[in-house]
Amino acid sequence: MDYRRITFERREAVGLVTLNRPERANAMDRTMLAELNAVCDSAEADETLRALVVTGAGGAFSSGFDLKEQAAAPPEGVAQWREVLRDDFDTVMRFWHLSKPTVAAVRGPALAGGCELALACDVTVAAEDARFGEPELRFGAGIVVMLMPWLTGPKHAKEILLSGEDEIGAQRAYEIGLVNRVVPAGDEVEAALALARRMAAVEPALLRRTKATVNRMYRMMGLDDALEMALEQDLLIEAEGTATKREFLEIARTQGLRAAIAWRDAGR
């Protein structure tokens, strides 16, 4: 399959998926989300592919869901927002639910939806220059995939989410449970591939059953219901709209995303 927003390379039993919009810090638009779903479909169907690594081209993992695309054609009403948010949510969670191990290799910013994608992978390797965060509340939006509390606990999660923190360095991310290991910048992909190869060497049925068992434990603790509840809250936030979000998107539409981010960071 020919991809426009991602690339896919086969490294023996491991697949390497690269988010490939470096000019937009690998922001995830509708096309990229569709291609990520397609590559997950292919990975599920390919019995010889035993693990998947996802990374970003250039100096970023991903800046999140594409706000410039949203500013150009804002969804209106509950029905449109439900379709958009469901697509965002389901695509990110494909990496959690995929029957094969998924490893994120993060360099540079992994923010908002990009942070959520890194967290949804089974294992996350961070370069020393990686930066994580969930800045959504600071521009009037909600959290699409609220995995943060399940990985860090309520104290860290509330601090990050309620303040819109987007400057979590790799070492702090490691200390609070967002990433598995920190490696020198430039080594993150090879380190992720090495981990994926170790997993790929295990009998596929054992990998599949063990990952499914861990996921089921979290389901029994209420993760799936909690994430769906959080998604419904985000739907209410987006469908009702906020003055902050409307102003942010208007500045993004007329002056560009950099200007909108500067407006946000200046405290409005």
Side-chain angles (χ1 to χ4, degrees):
M1 178 176 178
D2 292 329
Y3 297 112
R4 295 169 51 201
R5 297 287 196 258
I6 67 173
T7 64
F8 177 79
E9 302 173 50
R10 184 66 181 260
R11 304 288 181 92
E12 298 178 348
V14 177
L16 175 61
V17 178
T18 303
L19 312 181
N20 193 31
R21 298 182 76 197
E23 74 284 358
R24 293 291 317 284
N26 301 316
M28 296 182 286
D29 63 2
R30 295 299 117 192
T31 300
M32 182 182 287
L33 294 174
E35 291 179 359
L36 286 173
N37 273 294
V39 83
C40 286
D41 289 341
S42 296
E44 286 285 16
D46 186 349
E47 295 183 358
T48 67
L49 187 74
R50 297 187 176 184
L52 207 60
V53 171
V54 59
T55 192
F61 181 73
S62 173
S63 58
F65 301 117
D66 193 342
L67 294 174
K68 187 174 181 180
E69 181 182 61
Q70 191 180 119
E76 295 183 2
V78 172
Q80 287 187 17
W81 269 112
R82 188 181 297 279
E83 181 178 357
V84 168
L85 295 177
R86 173 55 63 183
D87 187 28
D88 293 345
F89 179 93
D90 287 347
T91 303
V92 167
M93 288 302 290
R94 286 297 300 274
F95 292 83
W96 179 276
H97 292 300
L98 198 75
S99 67
K100 301 168 184 184
T102 56
V103 183
V106 179
R107 185 172 186 181
L111 304 177
C115 180
E116 292 154 26
L117 176 59
L119 301 188
C121 289
D122 300 313
V123 175
T124 303
V125 176
E128 290 173 336
D129 66 353
R131 176 165 59 91
F132 299 85
E134 294 273 24
E136 290 94 321
L137 268 63
R138 288 166 55 208
F139 57 86
I143 311 298
V144 179
V145 189
M146 200 178 287
L147 283 166
M148 184 75 68
W150 292 86
L151 301 180
T152 68
K155 289 291 187 179
H156 290 304
K158 287 179 181 179
E159 177 188 354
I160 293 164
L161 298 177
L162 299 182
S163 68
E165 176 62 64
D166 60 0
E167 293 286 348
I168 303 169
Q171 186 59 37
R172 185 181 174 215
Y174 173 77
E175 292 167 357
I176 64 177
L178 296 182
V179 306
N180 296 79
R181 59 181 66 183
V182 179
V183 300
D187 292 351
E188 67 283 349
V189 173
E190 285 305 318
L193 287 168
L195 277 169
R197 291 188 192 103
R198 288 187 64 183
M199 296 175 187
V202 176
E203 178 68 31
L206 296 180
L207 284 177
R208 182 175 63 252
R209 289 173 180 170
T210 303
K211 176 172 176 174
T213 298
V214 175
N215 283 2
R216 186 176 181 186
M217 288 178 179
Y218 277 89
R219 186 177 303 118
M220 293 171 69
M221 289 188 285
L223 179 139
D224 288 3
D225 288 342
L227 292 180
E228 288 289 342
M229 178 272 292
L231 181 62
E232 283 297 312
Q233 292 302 310
D234 190 25
L235 174 62
L236 293 176
I237 290 169
E238 298 291 5
E240 291 175 2
T242 66
T244 300
K245 180 72 176 289
R246 286 190 290 270
E247 183 69 12
F248 181 89
L249 290 180
E250 179 61 19
I251 294 172
R253 186 184 67 82
T254 58
Q255 302 176 42
L257 192 55
R258 287 183 183 274
I261 292 172
W263 172 83
R264 179 203 69 184
D265 291 345
R268 304 180 299 280

